[in-house]
Amino acid sequence: MLASIISSGLAVGAVYALIGITYNTMYSTSRVMSFTAGQLGMLGGVFGSLFMLRMGMSGPVAFVLTLGLCALVGVITEFVAVRPVLKSLDQHLYVLSTLALALMIQQVTAIEWGTEPQPFPRLLAWGSGPLDERFWLPVAACVIVVLALEYLYRRTLIGLAFLAVAENNFAARSIGLPERRLRVISYALAGVIGGIAGFAAGQLMLAFFANGPLLNFYGFVPVALGGLGNNRGAVLGGLALGLFQQAANFTVGGIFASIAVFVLFIVVLMAVPQGIFGSNSARRV
Protein backbone atom coordinates (compact mmCIF):
# COMPACT_ATOMS: atom_id res chain seq x y z
CA MET A 1 0.00 0.00 0.00
CA LEU A 2 2.85 2.39 0.81
CA ALA A 3 4.27 2.01 -2.70
CA SER A 4 0.87 2.80 -4.20
CA ILE A 5 0.47 5.89 -2.03
CA ILE A 6 3.92 7.19 -2.96
CA SER A 7 3.66 6.49 -6.70
CA SER A 8 0.14 7.87 -7.10
CA GLY A 9 0.83 10.77 -4.74
CA LEU A 10 3.93 11.87 -6.62
CA ALA A 11 2.13 11.54 -9.96
CA VAL A 12 -0.89 13.57 -8.89
CA GLY A 13 1.33 16.05 -7.08
CA ALA A 14 3.43 16.56 -10.21
CA VAL A 15 0.27 17.41 -12.16
CA TYR A 16 -0.80 19.91 -9.48
CA ALA A 17 2.71 21.40 -9.55
CA LEU A 18 2.57 21.87 -13.32
CA ILE A 19 -0.78 23.63 -13.06
CA GLY A 20 0.70 25.79 -10.30
CA ILE A 21 3.57 26.70 -12.62
CA THR A 22 0.98 27.54 -15.28
CA TYR A 23 -0.61 29.97 -12.82
CA ASN A 24 2.79 31.49 -12.03
CA THR A 25 3.79 31.85 -15.68
CA MET A 26 0.66 33.85 -16.49
CA TYR A 27 0.90 35.87 -13.28
CA SER A 28 4.56 36.81 -13.76
CA THR A 29 3.99 39.18 -16.70
CA SER A 30 0.47 40.38 -15.98
CA ARG A 31 -0.07 40.20 -12.21
CA VAL A 32 -3.26 38.33 -13.05
CA MET A 33 -4.29 34.99 -11.55
CA SER A 34 -5.97 33.45 -14.58
CA PHE A 35 -8.50 30.77 -13.69
CA THR A 36 -8.07 29.15 -17.08
CA ALA A 37 -4.97 27.28 -15.83
CA GLY A 38 -6.95 24.17 -14.92
CA GLN A 39 -8.81 24.28 -18.22
CA LEU A 40 -5.50 24.19 -20.09
CA GLY A 41 -4.62 21.00 -18.23
CA MET A 42 -8.02 19.54 -19.05
CA LEU A 43 -7.61 20.42 -22.74
CA GLY A 44 -4.21 18.71 -22.80
CA GLY A 45 -5.90 15.40 -22.01
CA VAL A 46 -8.92 15.97 -24.26
CA PHE A 47 -6.89 17.04 -27.30
CA GLY A 48 -4.45 14.17 -26.81
CA SER A 49 -7.22 11.60 -26.71
CA LEU A 50 -8.96 13.25 -29.65
CA PHE A 51 -5.92 13.19 -31.90
CA MET A 52 -4.69 9.71 -30.99
CA LEU A 53 -7.85 7.68 -30.43
CA ARG A 54 -10.45 9.38 -32.62
CA MET A 55 -8.20 10.65 -35.40
CA GLY A 56 -5.56 7.90 -35.30
CA MET A 57 -2.50 10.15 -35.12
CA SER A 58 0.81 9.05 -33.70
CA GLY A 59 1.84 10.09 -30.21
CA PRO A 60 4.50 12.67 -31.19
CA VAL A 61 2.22 14.36 -33.75
CA ALA A 62 -0.67 14.44 -31.29
CA PHE A 63 1.63 15.86 -28.61
CA VAL A 64 2.83 18.72 -30.83
CA LEU A 65 -0.69 19.56 -32.01
CA THR A 66 -2.00 19.46 -28.44
CA LEU A 67 0.64 21.88 -27.22
CA GLY A 68 0.02 24.17 -30.19
CA LEU A 69 -3.71 24.34 -29.52
CA CYS A 70 -3.21 24.86 -25.79
CA ALA A 71 -0.76 27.68 -26.55
CA LEU A 72 -3.44 29.21 -28.78
CA VAL A 73 -5.96 29.02 -25.94
CA GLY A 74 -3.42 30.74 -23.70
CA VAL A 75 -3.02 33.57 -26.21
CA ILE A 76 -6.80 33.89 -26.54
CA THR A 77 -7.00 34.17 -22.75
CA GLU A 78 -4.61 37.12 -22.81
CA PHE A 79 -6.51 38.89 -25.60
CA VAL A 80 -10.06 38.19 -24.39
CA ALA A 81 -9.94 37.99 -20.59
CA VAL A 82 -6.77 39.76 -19.47
CA ARG A 83 -5.86 42.64 -21.78
CA PRO A 84 -9.23 44.44 -21.54
CA VAL A 85 -9.10 44.17 -17.74
CA LEU A 86 -5.59 45.60 -17.51
CA LYS A 87 -6.90 48.73 -19.24
CA SER A 88 -9.61 49.10 -16.61
CA LEU A 89 -9.31 51.06 -13.42
CA ASP A 90 -10.65 48.11 -11.45
CA GLN A 91 -8.13 45.46 -12.48
CA HIS A 92 -9.54 42.92 -10.01
CA LEU A 93 -12.22 42.25 -12.60
CA TYR A 94 -9.86 39.59 -13.95
CA VAL A 95 -11.42 37.24 -11.38
CA LEU A 96 -14.69 37.46 -13.30
CA SER A 97 -13.26 37.64 -16.82
CA THR A 98 -10.91 34.66 -16.54
CA LEU A 99 -13.48 32.63 -14.61
CA ALA A 100 -16.10 33.37 -17.26
CA LEU A 101 -13.72 32.26 -20.02
CA ALA A 102 -12.87 29.11 -18.06
CA LEU A 103 -16.57 28.25 -17.76
CA MET A 104 -17.04 28.85 -21.49
CA ILE A 105 -14.13 26.52 -22.31
CA GLN A 106 -15.55 23.86 -20.00
CA GLN A 107 -19.04 24.04 -21.46
CA VAL A 108 -17.87 24.01 -25.09
CA THR A 109 -15.69 20.99 -24.29
CA ALA A 110 -18.63 19.22 -22.66
CA ILE A 111 -20.83 19.87 -25.71
CA GLU A 112 -18.27 18.87 -28.33
CA TRP A 113 -16.42 16.13 -26.45
CA GLY A 114 -19.11 14.68 -24.19
CA THR A 115 -19.73 14.57 -20.47
CA GLU A 116 -18.35 11.09 -19.83
CA PRO A 117 -14.66 10.37 -19.12
CA GLN A 118 -12.92 9.10 -22.25
CA PRO A 119 -9.88 6.78 -22.30
CA PHE A 120 -6.38 7.99 -22.98
CA PRO A 121 -4.00 5.64 -24.84
CA ARG A 122 -0.77 4.28 -23.45
CA LEU A 123 2.15 6.21 -24.85
CA LEU A 124 5.27 4.13 -24.17
CA ALA A 125 4.04 0.93 -22.51
CA TRP A 126 6.89 1.06 -20.01
CA GLY A 127 6.51 -0.20 -16.47
CA SER A 128 3.81 -1.88 -14.44
CA GLY A 129 2.34 -1.64 -10.94
CA PRO A 130 3.64 1.33 -8.94
CA LEU A 131 6.19 1.98 -11.71
CA ASP A 132 3.58 2.12 -14.47
CA GLU A 133 4.05 4.91 -16.97
CA ARG A 134 0.84 6.64 -15.86
CA PHE A 135 2.62 7.33 -12.55
CA TRP A 136 6.11 8.25 -13.69
CA LEU A 137 5.20 10.20 -16.84
CA PRO A 138 3.74 13.19 -14.92
CA VAL A 139 6.77 13.25 -12.63
CA ALA A 140 9.15 13.13 -15.61
CA ALA A 141 7.17 15.88 -17.35
CA CYS A 142 7.34 18.05 -14.22
CA VAL A 143 11.12 17.60 -13.92
CA ILE A 144 11.68 18.43 -17.60
CA VAL A 145 9.47 21.53 -17.44
CA VAL A 146 11.18 22.85 -14.32
CA LEU A 147 14.66 22.34 -15.78
CA ALA A 148 13.61 23.92 -19.08
CA LEU A 149 12.18 26.96 -17.29
CA GLU A 150 15.33 27.32 -15.19
CA TYR A 151 17.37 27.37 -18.38
CA LEU A 152 14.96 29.79 -20.06
CA TYR A 153 14.95 32.28 -17.20
CA ARG A 154 18.66 32.18 -16.49
CA ARG A 155 20.34 31.55 -19.85
CA THR A 156 18.24 33.26 -22.53
CA LEU A 157 17.51 36.89 -23.33
CA ILE A 158 13.76 36.36 -23.52
CA GLY A 159 13.85 34.64 -20.14
CA LEU A 160 15.71 37.58 -18.61
CA ALA A 161 13.13 39.89 -20.19
CA PHE A 162 10.38 37.84 -18.53
CA LEU A 163 12.11 38.27 -15.17
CA ALA A 164 12.47 42.02 -15.73
CA VAL A 165 8.78 42.42 -16.52
CA ALA A 166 7.87 40.24 -13.53
CA GLU A 167 10.05 42.34 -11.23
CA ASN A 168 8.80 45.75 -12.37
CA ASN A 169 6.75 46.08 -15.53
CA PHE A 170 6.85 49.88 -15.49
CA ALA A 171 10.65 49.95 -15.32
CA ALA A 172 10.88 47.24 -17.98
CA ARG A 173 8.63 49.26 -20.27
CA SER A 174 10.70 52.40 -19.66
CA ILE A 175 13.86 50.72 -20.94
CA GLY A 176 12.14 49.59 -24.12
CA LEU A 177 11.08 46.03 -23.37
CA PRO A 178 7.93 45.07 -25.33
CA GLU A 179 5.78 44.31 -22.29
CA ARG A 180 2.61 43.48 -24.24
CA ARG A 181 4.40 41.10 -26.59
CA LEU A 182 6.18 39.41 -23.70
CA ARG A 183 2.84 38.98 -21.93
CA VAL A 184 1.36 37.26 -24.97
CA ILE A 185 4.38 34.95 -25.21
CA SER A 186 4.13 34.11 -21.51
CA TYR A 187 0.47 33.15 -21.89
CA ALA A 188 1.37 30.94 -24.86
CA LEU A 189 4.11 29.37 -22.73
CA ALA A 190 1.59 28.83 -19.93
CA GLY A 191 -0.69 27.10 -22.42
CA VAL A 192 2.15 24.77 -23.39
CA ILE A 193 2.88 23.93 -19.74
CA GLY A 194 -0.79 23.27 -19.02
CA GLY A 195 -1.01 21.11 -22.14
CA ILE A 196 2.01 19.09 -21.02
CA ALA A 197 0.37 18.54 -17.63
CA GLY A 198 -2.86 17.26 -19.16
CA PHE A 199 -1.16 15.13 -21.80
CA ALA A 200 1.23 13.50 -19.32
CA ALA A 201 -1.62 12.85 -16.88
CA GLY A 202 -4.05 11.57 -19.51
CA GLN A 203 -3.77 7.93 -18.44
CA LEU A 204 -4.10 8.91 -14.78
CA MET A 205 -7.01 11.36 -15.01
CA LEU A 206 -8.53 10.35 -18.37
CA ALA A 207 -9.88 12.85 -20.91
CA PHE A 208 -12.71 14.46 -18.96
CA PHE A 209 -14.20 17.94 -19.24
CA ALA A 210 -14.74 18.14 -15.46
CA ASN A 211 -10.98 17.91 -14.82
CA GLY A 212 -10.78 21.67 -15.41
CA PRO A 213 -12.35 22.91 -12.14
CA LEU A 214 -10.58 20.15 -10.21
CA LEU A 215 -7.18 21.21 -11.54
CA ASN A 216 -8.05 24.87 -11.05
CA PHE A 217 -8.41 24.37 -7.31
CA TYR A 218 -5.78 21.73 -6.64
CA GLY A 219 -3.34 23.58 -8.91
CA PHE A 220 -3.90 26.79 -6.98
CA VAL A 221 -3.12 25.17 -3.63
CA PRO A 222 0.61 24.62 -4.44
CA VAL A 223 0.84 28.27 -5.52
CA ALA A 224 -0.60 29.39 -2.20
CA LEU A 225 1.54 26.94 -0.22
CA GLY A 226 4.76 27.60 -2.12
CA GLY A 227 4.41 31.35 -2.54
CA LEU A 228 2.97 33.23 -5.49
CA GLY A 229 5.43 33.35 -8.39
CA ASN A 230 7.78 30.77 -6.86
CA ASN A 231 7.98 27.78 -9.23
CA ARG A 232 10.21 25.76 -6.94
CA GLY A 233 7.79 26.33 -4.10
CA ALA A 234 4.92 25.28 -6.37
CA VAL A 235 6.70 22.01 -7.17
CA LEU A 236 7.38 21.21 -3.53
CA GLY A 237 3.88 22.28 -2.54
CA GLY A 238 2.32 20.21 -5.33
CA LEU A 239 4.23 17.05 -4.46
CA ALA A 240 3.44 17.47 -0.76
CA LEU A 241 -0.22 18.02 -1.57
CA GLY A 242 -0.36 14.96 -3.82
CA LEU A 243 1.21 12.70 -1.20
CA PHE A 244 -1.05 14.08 1.53
CA GLN A 245 -4.16 13.69 -0.62
CA GLN A 246 -3.41 10.11 -1.63
CA ALA A 247 -2.56 9.16 1.95
CA ALA A 248 -5.89 10.63 3.03
CA ASN A 249 -7.68 8.73 0.25
CA PHE A 250 -6.19 5.44 1.43
CA THR A 251 -6.85 6.07 5.11
CA VAL A 252 -10.16 7.95 5.39
CA GLY A 253 -11.31 8.03 1.74
CA GLY A 254 -14.19 9.80 0.00
CA ILE A 255 -15.26 13.27 1.03
CA PHE A 256 -13.10 13.16 4.15
CA ALA A 257 -9.94 13.23 2.03
CA SER A 258 -11.11 16.47 0.38
CA ILE A 259 -11.96 17.91 3.79
CA ALA A 260 -8.46 17.04 4.99
CA VAL A 261 -6.95 18.93 2.03
CA PHE A 262 -9.10 21.99 2.78
CA VAL A 263 -8.10 21.90 6.45
CA LEU A 264 -4.41 21.64 5.57
CA PHE A 265 -4.77 24.52 3.11
CA ILE A 266 -6.47 26.80 5.64
CA VAL A 267 -4.09 25.94 8.47
CA VAL A 268 -0.99 26.65 6.38
CA LEU A 269 -2.36 29.96 5.08
CA MET A 270 -3.30 31.04 8.59
CA ALA A 271 0.20 30.23 9.82
CA VAL A 272 2.11 31.53 6.79
CA PRO A 273 -0.11 33.86 4.69
CA GLN A 274 2.60 34.51 2.09
CA GLY A 275 3.21 30.78 1.56
CA ILE A 276 5.85 28.49 3.01
CA PHE A 277 8.48 29.51 0.47
CA GLY A 278 7.13 33.00 -0.21
CA SER A 279 8.42 36.25 1.17
CA ASN A 280 6.73 39.36 2.46
CA SER A 281 6.71 42.02 -0.24
CA ALA A 282 8.05 45.42 0.70
CA ARG A 283 7.39 48.63 -1.12
CA ARG A 284 9.53 51.77 -0.77
CA VAL A 285 7.45 54.92 -0.52
Side-chain angles (χ1 to χ4, degrees):
M1 184 178 73
L2 180 60
S4 298
I5 293 176
I6 293 175
S7 59
S8 60
L10 290 177
V12 172
V15 178
Y16 296 159
L18 286 172
I19 299 300
I21 294 173
T22 303
Y23 272 116
N24 283 338
T25 303
M26 291 187 281
Y27 177 83
S28 64
T29 55
S30 63
R31 289 298 183 264
V32 167
M33 288 296 294
S34 175
F35 293 101
T36 57
Q39 310 298 334
L40 291 169
M42 176 269 292
L43 289 175
V46 168
F47 284 143
S49 180
L50 170 67
F51 292 137
M52 286 187 287
L53 289 184
R54 292 193 182 181
M55 302 180 68
M57 296 182 182
S58 64
V61 174
F63 180 68
V64 172
L65 288 177
T66 296
L67 298 193
L69 287 176
C70 288
L72 178 61
V73 173
V75 172
I76 292 173
T77 299
E78 197 279 333
F79 274 96
V80 173
V82 174
R83 185 173 298 188
V85 173
L86 293 180
K87 298 177 182 178
S88 170
L89 292 177
D90 189 2
Q91 294 188 0
H92 294 293
L93 288 174
Y94 73 79
V95 174
L96 297 178
S97 62
T98 59
L99 184 59
L101 180 59
L103 292 174
M104 290 174 61
I105 293 172
Q106 180 179 339
Q107 294 306 312
V108 171
T109 304
I111 293 171
E112 298 296 330
W113 178 251
T115 57
E116 295 296 326
Q118 302 294 324
F120 195 94
R122 288 181 66 82
L123 299 173
L124 303 173
W126 291 353
S128 60
L131 297 179
D132 189 86
E133 68 176 48
R134 63 176 176 153
F135 296 128
W136 63 259
L137 265 179
V139 177
C142 184
V143 171
I144 292 172
V145 167
V146 170
L147 293 178
L149 287 177
E150 286 290 319
Y151 180 83
L152 174 70
Y153 289 140
R154 298 180 183 277
R155 302 288 184 177
T156 67
L157 289 177
I158 190 171
L160 294 175
F162 280 146
L163 293 178
V165 172
E167 182 68 25
N168 191 321
N169 59 343
F170 295 106
R173 194 185 309 144
S174 68
I175 63 175
L177 289 178
E179 181 206 2
R180 182 175 298 178
R181 188 180 307 170
L182 288 170
R183 191 169 64 238
V184 172
I185 296 173
S186 73
Y187 272 72
L189 176 61
V192 169
I193 296 171
I196 291 174
F199 196 92
Q203 298 175 61
L204 189 66
M205 304 184 69
L206 302 179
F208 188 31
F209 84 103
N211 284 340
L214 179 76
L215 292 175
N216 259 337
F217 172 72
Y218 286 114
F220 177 76
V221 174
V223 175
L225 295 180
L228 188 58
N230 188 332
N231 286 340
R232 296 179 183 179
V235 171
L236 294 176
L239 295 178
L241 173 63
L243 289 170
F244 179 81
Q245 183 187 45
Q246 294 306 306
N249 280 332
F250 274 89
T251 53
V252 296
I255 189 65
F256 297 104
S258 299
I259 293 175
V261 172
F262 278 104
V263 171
L264 173 67
F265 181 49
I266 293 172
V267 168
V268 171
L269 286 187
M270 288 179 64
V272 193
Q274 72 275 13
I276 298 174
F277 304 99
S279 58
N280 292 317
S281 59
R283 171 179 284 183
R284 180 177 297 176
V285 295

